PDB file of all heavy atoms in Angstrom:
ATOM      1  N   VAL A 231      21.082   6.046  -8.033  1.00 94.00           N
ATOM      2  CA  VAL A 231      20.724   4.747  -7.441  1.00 94.00           C
ATOM      3  C   VAL A 231      19.542   4.069  -8.181  1.00 94.00           C
ATOM      4  O   VAL A 231      18.804   3.274  -7.642  1.00 94.00           O
ATOM      5  CB  VAL A 231      20.318   4.935  -5.939  1.00 94.00           C
ATOM      6  CG1 VAL A 231      21.527   5.341  -5.126  1.00 94.00           C
ATOM      7  CG2 VAL A 231      19.202   5.983  -5.795  1.00 94.00           C
ATOM      8  N   GLY A 232      19.374   4.484  -9.438  1.00 96.00           N
ATOM      9  CA  GLY A 232      18.436   3.857 -10.325  1.00 96.00           C
ATOM     10  C   GLY A 232      17.019   4.437 -10.316  1.00 96.00           C
ATOM     11  O   GLY A 232      16.116   3.885 -10.928  1.00 96.00           O
ATOM     12  N   GLY A 233      16.883   5.571  -9.679  1.00 97.00           N
ATOM     13  CA  GLY A 233      15.561   6.238  -9.634  1.00 97.00           C
ATOM     14  C   GLY A 233      15.387   7.075 -10.904  1.00 97.00           C
ATOM     15  O   GLY A 233      16.287   7.320 -11.667  1.00 97.00           O
ATOM     16  N   ARG A 234      14.186   7.624 -10.991  1.00 97.00           N
ATOM     17  CA  ARG A 234      13.877   8.514 -12.136  1.00 97.00           C
ATOM     18  C   ARG A 234      13.422   9.904 -11.668  1.00 97.00           C
ATOM     19  O   ARG A 234      12.608  10.036 -10.761  1.00 97.00           O
ATOM     20  CB  ARG A 234      12.675   7.894 -12.942  1.00 97.00           C
ATOM     21  CG  ARG A 234      12.987   6.496 -13.538  1.00 97.00           C
ATOM     22  CD  ARG A 234      11.799   5.885 -14.195  1.00 97.00           C
ATOM     23  NE  ARG A 234      10.683   5.750 -13.222  1.00 97.00           N
ATOM     24  CZ  ARG A 234       9.452   6.140 -13.445  1.00 97.00           C
ATOM     25  NH1 ARG A 234       9.130   6.819 -14.493  1.00 97.00           N
ATOM     26  NH2 ARG A 234       8.526   5.947 -12.455  1.00 97.00           N
ATOM     27  N   ALA A 235      14.154  10.876 -12.203  1.00 98.00           N
ATOM     28  CA  ALA A 235      13.942  12.268 -11.743  1.00 98.00           C
ATOM     29  C   ALA A 235      14.339  13.249 -12.818  1.00 98.00           C
ATOM     30  O   ALA A 235      15.073  12.929 -13.698  1.00 98.00           O
ATOM     31  CB  ALA A 235      14.678  12.492 -10.430  1.00 98.00           C
ATOM     32  N   GLU A 236      13.864  14.463 -12.664  1.00 98.00           N
ATOM     33  CA  GLU A 236      14.300  15.621 -13.441  1.00 98.00           C
ATOM     34  C   GLU A 236      14.362  16.800 -12.584  1.00 98.00           C
ATOM     35  O   GLU A 236      13.750  16.862 -11.485  1.00 98.00           O
ATOM     36  CB  GLU A 236      13.337  15.853 -14.654  1.00 98.00           C
ATOM     37  CG  GLU A 236      11.985  16.322 -14.213  1.00 98.00           C
ATOM     38  CD  GLU A 236      11.041  16.444 -15.405  1.00 98.00           C
ATOM     39  OE1 GLU A 236      11.367  15.934 -16.488  1.00 98.00           O
ATOM     40  OE2 GLU A 236       9.985  17.118 -15.248  1.00 98.00           O
ATOM     41  N   ALA A 237      15.093  17.810 -12.992  1.00 98.00           N
ATOM     42  CA  ALA A 237      15.257  19.045 -12.148  1.00 98.00           C
ATOM     43  C   ALA A 237      14.877  20.247 -12.950  1.00 98.00           C
ATOM     44  O   ALA A 237      15.111  20.313 -14.160  1.00 98.00           O
ATOM     45  CB  ALA A 237      16.721  19.135 -11.697  1.00 98.00           C
ATOM     46  N   SER A 238      14.260  21.176 -12.254  1.00 98.00           N
ATOM     47  CA  SER A 238      13.904  22.489 -12.928  1.00 98.00           C
ATOM     48  C   SER A 238      14.010  23.619 -11.878  1.00 98.00           C
ATOM     49  O   SER A 238      13.866  23.362 -10.666  1.00 98.00           O
ATOM     50  CB  SER A 238      12.473  22.451 -13.476  1.00 98.00           C
ATOM     51  OG  SER A 238      11.503  22.185 -12.494  1.00 98.00           O
ATOM     52  N   VAL A 239      14.239  24.809 -12.352  1.00 98.00           N
ATOM     53  CA  VAL A 239      14.381  25.923 -11.481  1.00 98.00           C
ATOM     54  C   VAL A 239      13.009  26.641 -11.377  1.00 98.00           C
ATOM     55  O   VAL A 239      12.449  27.007 -12.417  1.00 98.00           O
ATOM     56  CB  VAL A 239      15.429  26.914 -12.036  1.00 98.00           C
ATOM     57  CG1 VAL A 239      15.518  28.165 -11.160  1.00 98.00           C
ATOM     58  CG2 VAL A 239      16.804  26.217 -12.132  1.00 98.00           C
ATOM     59  N   VAL A 240      12.565  26.784 -10.160  1.00 98.00           N
ATOM     60  CA  VAL A 240      11.239  27.346  -9.915  1.00 98.00           C
ATOM     61  C   VAL A 240      11.296  28.290  -8.734  1.00 98.00           C
ATOM     62  O   VAL A 240      11.856  27.886  -7.666  1.00 98.00           O
ATOM     63  CB  VAL A 240      10.165  26.265  -9.651  1.00 98.00           C
ATOM     64  CG1 VAL A 240       8.850  26.907  -9.143  1.00 98.00           C
ATOM     65  CG2 VAL A 240       9.896  25.484 -10.902  1.00 98.00           C
ATOM     66  N   ASP A 241      10.785  29.461  -8.828  1.00 98.00           N
ATOM     67  CA  ASP A 241      10.623  30.385  -7.721  1.00 98.00           C
ATOM     68  C   ASP A 241       9.207  30.250  -7.205  1.00 98.00           C
ATOM     69  O   ASP A 241       8.257  30.645  -7.866  1.00 98.00           O
ATOM     70  CB  ASP A 241      10.901  31.808  -8.200  1.00 98.00           C
ATOM     71  CG  ASP A 241      10.901  32.823  -7.038  1.00 98.00           C
ATOM     72  OD1 ASP A 241      10.431  32.525  -5.962  1.00 98.00           O
ATOM     73  OD2 ASP A 241      11.392  33.998  -7.215  1.00 98.00           O
ATOM     74  N   VAL A 242       9.061  29.647  -6.015  1.00 98.00           N
ATOM     75  CA  VAL A 242       7.713  29.356  -5.514  1.00 98.00           C
ATOM     76  C   VAL A 242       6.880  30.608  -5.306  1.00 98.00           C
ATOM     77  O   VAL A 242       5.656  30.584  -5.253  1.00 98.00           O
ATOM     78  CB  VAL A 242       7.846  28.525  -4.230  1.00 98.00           C
ATOM     79  CG1 VAL A 242       8.265  29.448  -3.052  1.00 98.00           C
ATOM     80  CG2 VAL A 242       6.536  27.820  -3.865  1.00 98.00           C
ATOM     81  N   ARG A 243       7.537  31.781  -5.230  1.00 98.00           N
ATOM     82  CA  ARG A 243       6.826  33.034  -5.078  1.00 98.00           C
ATOM     83  C   ARG A 243       6.132  33.513  -6.323  1.00 98.00           C
ATOM     84  O   ARG A 243       5.274  34.350  -6.275  1.00 98.00           O
ATOM     85  CB  ARG A 243       7.802  34.131  -4.575  1.00 98.00           C
ATOM     86  CG  ARG A 243       8.453  33.813  -3.212  1.00 98.00           C
ATOM     87  CD  ARG A 243       9.617  34.760  -2.938  1.00 98.00           C
ATOM     88  NE  ARG A 243      10.708  34.606  -3.991  1.00 98.00           N
ATOM     89  CZ  ARG A 243      11.812  35.272  -3.949  1.00 98.00           C
ATOM     90  NH1 ARG A 243      12.069  36.142  -2.965  1.00 98.00           N
ATOM     91  NH2 ARG A 243      12.738  35.094  -4.856  1.00 98.00           N
ATOM     92  N   ARG A 244       6.505  32.876  -7.460  1.00 98.00           N
ATOM     93  CA  ARG A 244       5.928  33.271  -8.736  1.00 98.00           C
ATOM     94  C   ARG A 244       4.930  32.256  -9.197  1.00 98.00           C
ATOM     95  O   ARG A 244       5.340  31.130  -9.508  1.00 98.00           O
ATOM     96  CB  ARG A 244       7.063  33.513  -9.767  1.00 98.00           C
ATOM     97  CG  ARG A 244       8.049  34.595  -9.432  1.00 98.00           C
ATOM     98  CD  ARG A 244       9.227  34.591 -10.376  1.00 98.00           C
ATOM     99  NE  ARG A 244       8.853  34.602 -11.805  1.00 98.00           N
ATOM    100  CZ  ARG A 244       8.571  35.683 -12.508  1.00 98.00           C
ATOM    101  NH1 ARG A 244       8.687  36.849 -11.921  1.00 98.00           N
ATOM    102  NH2 ARG A 244       8.254  35.621 -13.750  1.00 98.00           N
ATOM    103  N   SER A 245       3.740  32.608  -9.320  1.00 97.00           N
ATOM    104  CA  SER A 245       2.696  31.692  -9.681  1.00 97.00           C
ATOM    105  C   SER A 245       2.932  31.087 -11.069  1.00 97.00           C
ATOM    106  O   SER A 245       2.681  29.910 -11.331  1.00 97.00           O
ATOM    107  CB  SER A 245       1.297  32.334  -9.644  1.00 97.00           C
ATOM    108  OG  SER A 245       1.187  33.412 -10.549  1.00 97.00           O
ATOM    109  N   ALA A 246       3.480  31.911 -12.008  1.00 98.00           N
ATOM    110  CA  ALA A 246       3.719  31.390 -13.356  1.00 98.00           C
ATOM    111  C   ALA A 246       4.795  30.324 -13.339  1.00 98.00           C
ATOM    112  O   ALA A 246       4.708  29.347 -14.104  1.00 98.00           O
ATOM    113  CB  ALA A 246       4.191  32.591 -14.246  1.00 98.00           C
ATOM    114  N   ASP A 247       5.789  30.456 -12.492  1.00 98.00           N
ATOM    115  CA  ASP A 247       6.835  29.428 -12.380  1.00 98.00           C
ATOM    116  C   ASP A 247       6.225  28.096 -11.938  1.00 98.00           C
ATOM    117  O   ASP A 247       6.467  27.042 -12.525  1.00 98.00           O
ATOM    118  CB  ASP A 247       7.916  29.835 -11.376  1.00 98.00           C
ATOM    119  CG  ASP A 247       8.978  30.718 -11.974  1.00 98.00           C
ATOM    120  OD1 ASP A 247       8.658  31.410 -12.997  1.00 98.00           O
ATOM    121  OD2 ASP A 247      10.068  30.777 -11.405  1.00 98.00           O
ATOM    122  N   VAL A 248       5.426  28.165 -10.858  1.00 98.00           N
ATOM    123  CA  VAL A 248       4.810  26.941 -10.307  1.00 98.00           C
ATOM    124  C   VAL A 248       3.864  26.313 -11.291  1.00 98.00           C
ATOM    125  O   VAL A 248       3.879  25.116 -11.570  1.00 98.00           O
ATOM    126  CB  VAL A 248       4.152  27.243  -8.970  1.00 98.00           C
ATOM    127  CG1 VAL A 248       3.406  26.007  -8.452  1.00 98.00           C
ATOM    128  CG2 VAL A 248       5.151  27.784  -7.973  1.00 98.00           C
ATOM    129  N   ASP A 249       2.991  27.130 -11.845  1.00 98.00           N
ATOM    130  CA  ASP A 249       2.003  26.607 -12.817  1.00 98.00           C
ATOM    131  C   ASP A 249       2.635  25.978 -14.030  1.00 98.00           C
ATOM    132  O   ASP A 249       2.208  24.897 -14.470  1.00 98.00           O
ATOM    133  CB  ASP A 249       1.004  27.753 -13.262  1.00 98.00           C
ATOM    134  CG  ASP A 249       0.079  28.160 -12.129  1.00 98.00           C
ATOM    135  OD1 ASP A 249      -0.089  27.442 -11.165  1.00 98.00           O
ATOM    136  OD2 ASP A 249      -0.480  29.294 -12.271  1.00 98.00           O
ATOM    137  N   THR A 250       3.633  26.665 -14.572  1.00 98.00           N
ATOM    138  CA  THR A 250       4.336  26.171 -15.795  1.00 98.00           C
ATOM    139  C   THR A 250       4.982  24.840 -15.452  1.00 98.00           C
ATOM    140  O   THR A 250       4.912  23.882 -16.294  1.00 98.00           O
ATOM    141  CB  THR A 250       5.343  27.135 -16.293  1.00 98.00           C
ATOM    142  OG1 THR A 250       4.708  28.381 -16.637  1.00 98.00           O
ATOM    143  CG2 THR A 250       6.134  26.603 -17.449  1.00 98.00           C
ATOM    144  N   MET A 251       5.649  24.664 -14.371  1.00 98.00           N
ATOM    145  CA  MET A 251       6.326  23.436 -14.038  1.00 98.00           C
ATOM    146  C   MET A 251       5.311  22.341 -13.826  1.00 98.00           C
ATOM    147  O   MET A 251       5.472  21.197 -14.360  1.00 98.00           O
ATOM    148  CB  MET A 251       7.123  23.631 -12.757  1.00 98.00           C
ATOM    149  CG  MET A 251       8.005  22.392 -12.355  1.00 98.00           C
ATOM    150  SD  MET A 251       7.114  21.235 -11.335  1.00 98.00           S
ATOM    151  CE  MET A 251       6.863  22.181  -9.827  1.00 98.00           C
ATOM    152  N   LEU A 252       4.279  22.562 -13.064  1.00 98.00           N
ATOM    153  CA  LEU A 252       3.295  21.501 -12.798  1.00 98.00           C
ATOM    154  C   LEU A 252       2.534  21.122 -14.071  1.00 98.00           C
ATOM    155  O   LEU A 252       2.290  19.905 -14.338  1.00 98.00           O
ATOM    156  CB  LEU A 252       2.282  21.983 -11.739  1.00 98.00           C
ATOM    157  CG  LEU A 252       2.851  22.194 -10.321  1.00 98.00           C
ATOM    158  CD1 LEU A 252       1.780  22.762  -9.404  1.00 98.00           C
ATOM    159  CD2 LEU A 252       3.399  20.908  -9.735  1.00 98.00           C
ATOM    160  N   ASP A 253       2.135  22.089 -14.866  1.00 98.00           N
ATOM    161  CA  ASP A 253       1.474  21.770 -16.148  1.00 98.00           C
ATOM    162  C   ASP A 253       2.391  20.973 -17.085  1.00 98.00           C
ATOM    163  O   ASP A 253       1.947  20.040 -17.748  1.00 98.00           O
ATOM    164  CB  ASP A 253       1.090  23.093 -16.865  1.00 98.00           C
ATOM    165  CG  ASP A 253      -0.082  23.796 -16.189  1.00 98.00           C
ATOM    166  OD1 ASP A 253      -0.794  23.198 -15.349  1.00 98.00           O
ATOM    167  OD2 ASP A 253      -0.283  25.026 -16.469  1.00 98.00           O
ATOM    168  N   LYS A 254       3.677  21.299 -17.111  1.00 98.00           N
ATOM    169  CA  LYS A 254       4.631  20.561 -17.943  1.00 98.00           C
ATOM    170  C   LYS A 254       4.774  19.115 -17.480  1.00 98.00           C
ATOM    171  O   LYS A 254       4.779  18.193 -18.355  1.00 98.00           O
ATOM    172  CB  LYS A 254       5.972  21.241 -17.882  1.00 98.00           C
ATOM    173  CG  LYS A 254       7.077  20.595 -18.704  1.00 98.00           C
ATOM    174  CD  LYS A 254       8.340  21.403 -18.649  1.00 98.00           C
ATOM    175  CE  LYS A 254       9.507  20.731 -19.464  1.00 98.00           C
ATOM    176  NZ  LYS A 254       9.996  19.556 -18.740  1.00 98.00           N
ATOM    177  N   VAL A 255       4.834  18.956 -16.181  1.00 98.00           N
ATOM    178  CA  VAL A 255       4.976  17.496 -15.681  1.00 98.00           C
ATOM    179  C   VAL A 255       3.678  16.737 -16.041  1.00 98.00           C
ATOM    180  O   VAL A 255       3.765  15.571 -16.507  1.00 98.00           O
ATOM    181  CB  VAL A 255       5.147  17.545 -14.146  1.00 98.00           C
ATOM    182  CG1 VAL A 255       5.037  16.143 -13.571  1.00 98.00           C
ATOM    183  CG2 VAL A 255       6.500  18.169 -13.816  1.00 98.00           C
ATOM    184  N   ALA A 256       2.535  17.337 -15.817  1.00 98.00           N
ATOM    185  CA  ALA A 256       1.303  16.629 -16.114  1.00 98.00           C
ATOM    186  C   ALA A 256       1.137  16.329 -17.605  1.00 98.00           C
ATOM    187  O   ALA A 256       0.672  15.268 -18.006  1.00 98.00           O
ATOM    188  CB  ALA A 256       0.093  17.438 -15.655  1.00 98.00           C
ATOM    189  N   ALA A 257       1.564  17.307 -18.446  1.00 98.00           N
ATOM    190  CA  ALA A 257       1.444  17.082 -19.897  1.00 98.00           C
ATOM    191  C   ALA A 257       2.394  15.994 -20.391  1.00 98.00           C
ATOM    192  O   ALA A 257       2.019  15.141 -21.210  1.00 98.00           O
ATOM    193  CB  ALA A 257       1.741  18.394 -20.610  1.00 98.00           C
ATOM    194  N   GLU A 258       3.625  16.029 -19.903  1.00 97.00           N
ATOM    195  CA  GLU A 258       4.644  15.043 -20.362  1.00 97.00           C
ATOM    196  C   GLU A 258       4.379  13.657 -19.886  1.00 97.00           C
ATOM    197  O   GLU A 258       4.731  12.685 -20.531  1.00 97.00           O
ATOM    198  CB  GLU A 258       6.015  15.516 -19.973  1.00 97.00           C
ATOM    199  CG  GLU A 258       6.447  16.799 -20.720  1.00 97.00           C
ATOM    200  CD  GLU A 258       7.869  17.215 -20.352  1.00 97.00           C
ATOM    201  OE1 GLU A 258       8.494  16.602 -19.422  1.00 97.00           O
ATOM    202  OE2 GLU A 258       8.390  18.133 -21.002  1.00 97.00           O
ATOM    203  N   HIS A 259       3.802  13.550 -18.683  1.00 97.00           N
ATOM    204  CA  HIS A 259       3.594  12.200 -18.056  1.00 97.00           C
ATOM    205  C   HIS A 259       2.171  11.782 -18.068  1.00 97.00           C
ATOM    206  O   HIS A 259       1.833  10.628 -17.613  1.00 97.00           O
ATOM    207  CB  HIS A 259       4.172  12.198 -16.670  1.00 97.00           C
ATOM    208  CG  HIS A 259       5.664  12.433 -16.651  1.00 97.00           C
ATOM    209  ND1 HIS A 259       6.581  11.395 -16.700  1.00 97.00           N
ATOM    210  CD2 HIS A 259       6.387  13.587 -16.585  1.00 97.00           C
ATOM    211  CE1 HIS A 259       7.832  11.904 -16.709  1.00 97.00           C
ATOM    212  NE2 HIS A 259       7.702  13.228 -16.604  1.00 97.00           N
ATOM    213  N   GLY A 260       1.270  12.623 -18.569  1.00 97.00           N
ATOM    214  CA  GLY A 260      -0.144  12.281 -18.649  1.00 97.00           C
ATOM    215  C   GLY A 260      -0.887  12.296 -17.333  1.00 97.00           C
ATOM    216  O   GLY A 260      -2.084  11.951 -17.257  1.00 97.00           O
ATOM    217  N   ARG A 261      -0.205  12.721 -16.290  1.00 97.00           N
ATOM    218  CA  ARG A 261      -0.813  12.739 -14.920  1.00 97.00           C
ATOM    219  C   ARG A 261       0.099  13.449 -13.949  1.00 97.00           C
ATOM    220  O   ARG A 261       1.292  13.551 -14.117  1.00 97.00           O
ATOM    221  CB  ARG A 261      -1.105  11.349 -14.471  1.00 97.00           C
ATOM    222  CG  ARG A 261       0.132  10.505 -14.398  1.00 97.00           C
ATOM    223  CD  ARG A 261      -0.159   9.009 -14.258  1.00 97.00           C
ATOM    224  NE  ARG A 261      -0.824   8.688 -13.003  1.00 97.00           N
ATOM    225  CZ  ARG A 261      -1.540   7.612 -12.847  1.00 97.00           C
ATOM    226  NH1 ARG A 261      -1.711   6.747 -13.825  1.00 97.00           N
ATOM    227  NH2 ARG A 261      -2.090   7.374 -11.692  1.00 97.00           N
ATOM    228  N   LEU A 262      -0.519  13.943 -12.915  1.00 98.00           N
ATOM    229  CA  LEU A 262       0.220  14.427 -11.706  1.00 98.00           C
ATOM    230  C   LEU A 262      -0.452  13.820 -10.535  1.00 98.00           C
ATOM    231  O   LEU A 262      -1.527  14.251 -10.079  1.00 98.00           O
ATOM    232  CB  LEU A 262       0.130  15.965 -11.672  1.00 98.00           C
ATOM    233  CG  LEU A 262       0.836  16.616 -10.439  1.00 98.00           C
ATOM    234  CD1 LEU A 262       2.326  16.413 -10.458  1.00 98.00           C
ATOM    235  CD2 LEU A 262       0.560  18.109 -10.418  1.00 98.00           C
ATOM    236  N   ASP A 263       0.197  12.845  -9.947  1.00 98.00           N
ATOM    237  CA  ASP A 263      -0.411  12.103  -8.812  1.00 98.00           C
ATOM    238  C   ASP A 263      -0.189  12.704  -7.474  1.00 98.00           C
ATOM    239  O   ASP A 263      -1.033  12.678  -6.610  1.00 98.00           O
ATOM    240  CB  ASP A 263       0.160  10.664  -8.776  1.00 98.00           C
ATOM    241  CG  ASP A 263      -0.158   9.895 -10.087  1.00 98.00           C
ATOM    242  OD1 ASP A 263      -1.339   9.676 -10.364  1.00 98.00           O
ATOM    243  OD2 ASP A 263       0.816   9.645 -10.824  1.00 98.00           O
ATOM    244  N   VAL A 264       1.000  13.360  -7.349  1.00 98.00           N
ATOM    245  CA  VAL A 264       1.369  13.913  -6.019  1.00 98.00           C
ATOM    246  C   VAL A 264       2.089  15.240  -6.238  1.00 98.00           C
ATOM    247  O   VAL A 264       2.921  15.348  -7.143  1.00 98.00           O
ATOM    248  CB  VAL A 264       2.348  12.992  -5.260  1.00 98.00           C
ATOM    249  CG1 VAL A 264       2.561  13.496  -3.855  1.00 98.00           C
ATOM    250  CG2 VAL A 264       1.824  11.547  -5.185  1.00 98.00           C
TER     251      VAL A 264
END
Side-chain angles (χ1 to χ4, degrees):
V231 293
R234 298 174 300 129
E236 66 183 17
S238 61
V239 177
V240 169
D241 185 343
V242 75
R243 298 168 298 183
R244 296 172 54 87
S245 61
D247 276 22
V248 176
D249 289 343
T250 298
M251 185 273 295
L252 295 176
D253 288 342
K254 178 176 179 289
V255 172
E258 291 183 352
H259 297 271
R261 57 196 293 159
L262 177 65
D263 300 295
V264 187

